[in-house]
Amino acid sequence: DGGITQSPKYLFRKEGQNVTLSCEQNLNHDAMYWYRQDPGQGLRLIYYSQIVNDFQKGDIAEGYSVSREKKESFPLTVTSAQKNPTAFYLCASSPAGYTEAFFGQGTRLTVV
Amino acid sequence: AQKVTQAQTEISVVEKEDVTLDCVYETRDTTYYLFWYKQPPSGELVFLIRRNSFDEQNEISGRYSWNFQKSTSSFNFTITASQVVDSAVYFCALSEAGGGSQGNLIFGKGTKLSVKP
């Protein structure tokens, strides 16, 4: 089935550790995105990529890093520099242009 | 600056009631796109509708309908005869055509709808 796969669904990490969230899509979409969702808040854009080997910062990129080595994959690393990393992270992809974005099921990251 | 406001944080209705979710947006672009997404408890966002700024025609899809009014910068969503399965958080979002951020969505904070049997 075509779609976006995020793994793992739940992730626990100790404070100060880097952690990488996986996002894979088989929809042949050009653009991919990472959003962060906090309780009672809308989604905020962390990073986005419109083509392979290129990506741009979103509104809250500090403390995060990404790579786009393959069209299908857009992993997000939450570094120790991120002050408050506990959140729900959603990955999305879309074809070129202003069509709707398709979302994965999210990863809930808890830092203890 | 671009912004999406969903003033209703939570709404609770009884099954079969009609309910309207409000969305007000701000943008300087003349070309933009508006979206509604549904987020059930599982967490995944489900696309409901996209509307471009040149198309003010209202749309109906089953029990769902959308009212787009550029004069008031609003894009409201109505569920007719609500059902328990409609319980979710609903997000309104805006995508602007300019600025090199093609496809990026600006979200409102969402409205949590609870439909009680």
Side-chain angles (χ1 to χ4, degrees):
Chain A
D1 283 0
I4 301 174
T5 302
Q6 289 187 243
S7 60
K9 191 168 184 178
Y10 298 96
L11 191 53
F12 296 88
R13 277 296 181 268
K14 290 184 178 179
E15 197 169 337
Q17 288 183 336
N18 291 356
V19 61
T20 297
L21 282 58
S22 170
C23 178
E24 303 277 332
Q25 55 102 356
N26 60 5
L27 300 168
N28 200 33
H29 286 170
D30 293 306
M32 296 187 74
Y33 312 83
W34 274 105
Y35 289 89
R36 171 180 170 140
Q37 185 179 16
D38 294 286
Q41 300 293 316
L43 280 69
R44 292 180 291 167
L45 182 65
I46 305 172
Y47 267 98
Y48 64 100
S49 167
Q50 296 185 353
I51 56 173
V52 174
N53 292 323
D54 188 44
F55 47 82
Q56 284 78 41
K57 293 181 179 180
D59 300 320
I60 55 166
E62 186 175 350
Y64 299 98
S65 66
V66 293
S67 63
R68 186 86 185 278
E69 296 177 2
K70 299 186 297 182
K71 189 176 184 178
E72 310 81 52
S73 178
F74 191 41
L76 173 75
T77 297
V78 184
T79 75
S80 56
Q82 168 50 231
K83 300 298 181 199
N84 186 18
T86 294
F88 188 54
Y89 291 88
L90 283 156
C91 178
S93 71
S94 68
Y98 303 98
T99 61
E100 63 273 19
F102 294 83
F103 284 81
Q105 292 201 324
T107 293
R108 192 167 299 280
L109 173 64
T110 303
V111 175
V112 296
Chain B
Q2 61 273 25
K3 187 178 178 182
V4 176
T5 301
Q6 295 179 256
Q8 304 149 309
T9 305
E10 292 192 41
I11 299 176
S12 183
V13 299
V14 176
E15 207 170 19
K16 297 184 183 176
E17 283 186 29
D18 298 347
V19 57
T20 295
L21 310 181
D22 297 333
C23 173
V24 174
Y25 62 92
E26 295 175 30
T27 178
R28 290 179 182 164
D29 277 12
T30 55
T31 302
Y32 53 88
Y33 299 80
L34 296 165
F35 302 79
W36 276 95
Y37 282 86
K38 174 181 180 179
Q39 186 178 41
S42 60
E44 180 178 356
L45 264 71
V46 178
F47 166 78
L48 296 178
I49 190 171
R50 179 184 77 142
R51 186 52 101 223
N52 74 55
S53 52
F54 299 109
D55 182 3
E56 287 193 71
Q57 196 169 19
N58 291 333
E59 181 156 341
I60 298 174
S61 176
R63 296 184 297 108
Y64 295 170
S65 62
W66 291 269
N67 183 356
F68 177 29
Q69 292 194 347
K70 286 180 76 171
S71 61
T72 55
S73 297
S74 65
F75 187 44
N76 296 338
F77 173 31
T78 297
I79 302 174
T80 303
S82 60
Q83 299 176 1
V84 173
V85 293
D86 295 328
S87 296
V89 180
Y90 291 86
F91 289 98
C92 181
L94 165 72
S95 178
E96 295 177 321
S101 59
Q102 177 176 323
N104 294 351
L105 295 169
I106 301 153
F107 284 86
K109 292 188 176 182
T111 297
K112 182 177 181 180
L113 174 65
S114 298
V115 182
K116 303 188 185 310

